[in-house]
Amino acid sequence: MDKNQNQIYLDHTSHIMKKVRNFLILVSAIGYGLHCIVFAPLFYVLSANVSYSQLFITDLLSFATDLTELCVVFVTYGVLLFAVWRGGVKQSAPVWITAGLMVVLKYSLNFIMSCIDEGKIPSPSIFFEDDLPLILPNFFMEIFQYALLIFMAYMIIRSKKRKFHEAILLNEIQPATERALAFPMVKLLSFKNPLQKTAFFYAIIYFVARVFTLAVTRLTEIVMAHQIEDIAFLITDIAVQLVVAALCYICMVLVVSSFDKKEMNLLAEASEESST
């Protein structure tokens, strides 16, 4: 891109941020709606009934409950990564604020469905003493995950862009748009690409955190209940989480790549309209 095209690309940031935010709202509303209103309640009803707890449909609902939540989370990771890439922390604020609000939506839906299931709204004393202490740690943990990704993305992207512009000033490389640092993606993984680098290391952190949590649970069962067979389950858990982490990385890369293609199409259409 020449200087004029590069400026058009930079000026388009606020517009693409709106597109990204609206996409996040749509995906979260559908995903969390299915998770909280459809799959989770059905699963709990069937699993609580001895006649249905061992049926295949119950296992399928359990899988669907976990999958819908994971899909929203992984898409959100990709959206946040692209937003920080295009707008930094400041201009991407509407996106990451929306991501936080969508987490509030999920817990609100869960609470509403719990009230419907019990047929009553808990008293303020019960809510603040029993329910809220259970909700807040999980809520803040999810917010922390988003904040960690934003921080990692900001640091890696800023370092890469700074070196890029320094190289241009020193005439070490030809002037080009910042987009060339990340797009088009020609490899599944490249540590030279700041977005793929961020996605990879975040997926590793995600994997380690999940395995650590599962390991503590399994090892506690082994020590306290002497269930030696849980070692085999722990190995299976690690293998499953490795697959989940790989899906996390792939989803993030697909999301950022899709948004870039979408933006390039929008810019091309705008350029054609202005030239006619």
Side-chain angles (χ1 to χ4, degrees):
M1 290 184 182
D2 57 29
K3 185 176 181 180
N4 184 51
Q5 290 174 316
N6 188 41
Q7 190 59 48
I8 293 174
Y9 180 70
L10 295 175
D11 291 342
H12 195 253
T13 301
S14 60
H15 181 73
I16 195 63
M17 287 298 105
K18 293 178 182 178
K19 295 282 186 182
V20 169
R21 182 195 60 195
N22 292 340
F23 174 79
L24 179 59
I25 292 173
L26 178 63
V27 170
S28 299
I30 295 174
Y32 286 146
L34 289 173
H35 171 78
C36 301
I37 300 175
V38 180
F39 296 138
L42 286 175
F43 168 70
Y44 290 132
V45 168
L46 293 181
S47 61
N49 191 313
V50 178
S51 302
Y52 299 105
S53 60
Q54 302 301 319
L55 293 181
F56 173 73
I57 185 64
T58 305
D59 294 333
L60 188 61
L61 282 171
S62 175
F63 177 76
T65 301
D66 294 336
L67 182 62
T68 48
E69 184 175 25
L70 277 179
C71 284
V72 176
V73 170
F74 290 168
V75 168
T76 302
Y77 288 162
V79 167
L80 291 174
L81 181 55
F82 181 80
V84 174
W85 158 256
R86 285 295 283 117
V89 175
K90 185 177 181 180
Q91 285 185 285
S92 66
V95 179
W96 51 259
I97 290 174
T98 298
L101 291 176
M102 292 303 101
V103 178
V104 175
L105 171 67
K106 181 181 75 169
Y107 284 98
S108 297
L109 288 175
N110 279 331
F111 178 71
I112 291 171
M113 294 307 298
S114 176
C115 292
I116 293 175
D117 181 56
E118 295 177 2
K120 61 179 181 179
I121 299 176
S123 64
S125 60
I126 292 177
F127 176 76
F128 286 106
E129 293 176 8
D130 298 335
D131 296 330
L132 202 58
L134 295 176
I135 294 173
L136 285 181
N138 293 322
F139 171 78
F140 284 119
M141 180 56 67
E142 291 193 41
I143 296 299
F144 172 75
Q145 291 174 13
Y146 292 164
L148 177 61
L149 174 60
I150 292 169
F151 175 75
M152 286 180 60
Y154 172 73
M155 296 302 294
I156 292 174
I157 292 170
R158 185 183 67 167
S159 176
K160 190 70 174 180
K161 287 183 177 180
R162 180 176 295 172
K163 292 178 181 178
F164 173 72
H165 289 294
E166 287 177 353
I168 292 176
L169 290 174
L170 294 173
N171 293 321
E172 295 176 353
I173 60 175
Q174 293 295 319
T177 177
E178 290 180 348
R179 177 179 177 270
L181 292 172
F183 302 105
M185 293 182 177
V186 295
K187 297 180 180 179
L188 181 60
L189 174 60
S190 173
F191 290 113
K192 293 181 180 180
N193 187 311
L195 301 186
Q196 289 180 307
K197 183 178 180 180
T198 302
F200 177 80
F201 283 113
Y202 188 79
I204 293 296
I205 293 174
Y206 181 87
F207 168 74
V208 172
R210 299 266 295 195
V211 168
F212 176 78
T213 302
L214 291 170
V216 169
T217 302
R218 293 296 187 188
L219 291 175
T220 301
E221 292 174 352
I222 291 171
V223 174
M224 301 300 294
H226 304 290
Q227 298 177 359
I228 305 300
E229 65 274 11
D230 278 3
I231 294 178
F233 290 126
L234 177 58
I235 295 173
T236 302
D237 289 338
I238 293 173
V240 170
Q241 294 309 315
L242 187 60
V243 173
V244 172
L247 292 175
C248 175
Y249 170 79
I250 292 172
C251 185
M252 292 170 71
V253 170
L254 287 176
V255 169
V256 297
S257 182
S258 297
F259 272 120
D260 176 72
K261 290 179 181 178
K262 175 67 174 177
E263 183 174 23
M264 289 301 100
N265 290 335
L266 290 173
L267 288 174
E269 291 174 3
S271 178
E272 290 178 2
E273 291 177 359
S274 63
S275 62
T276 56

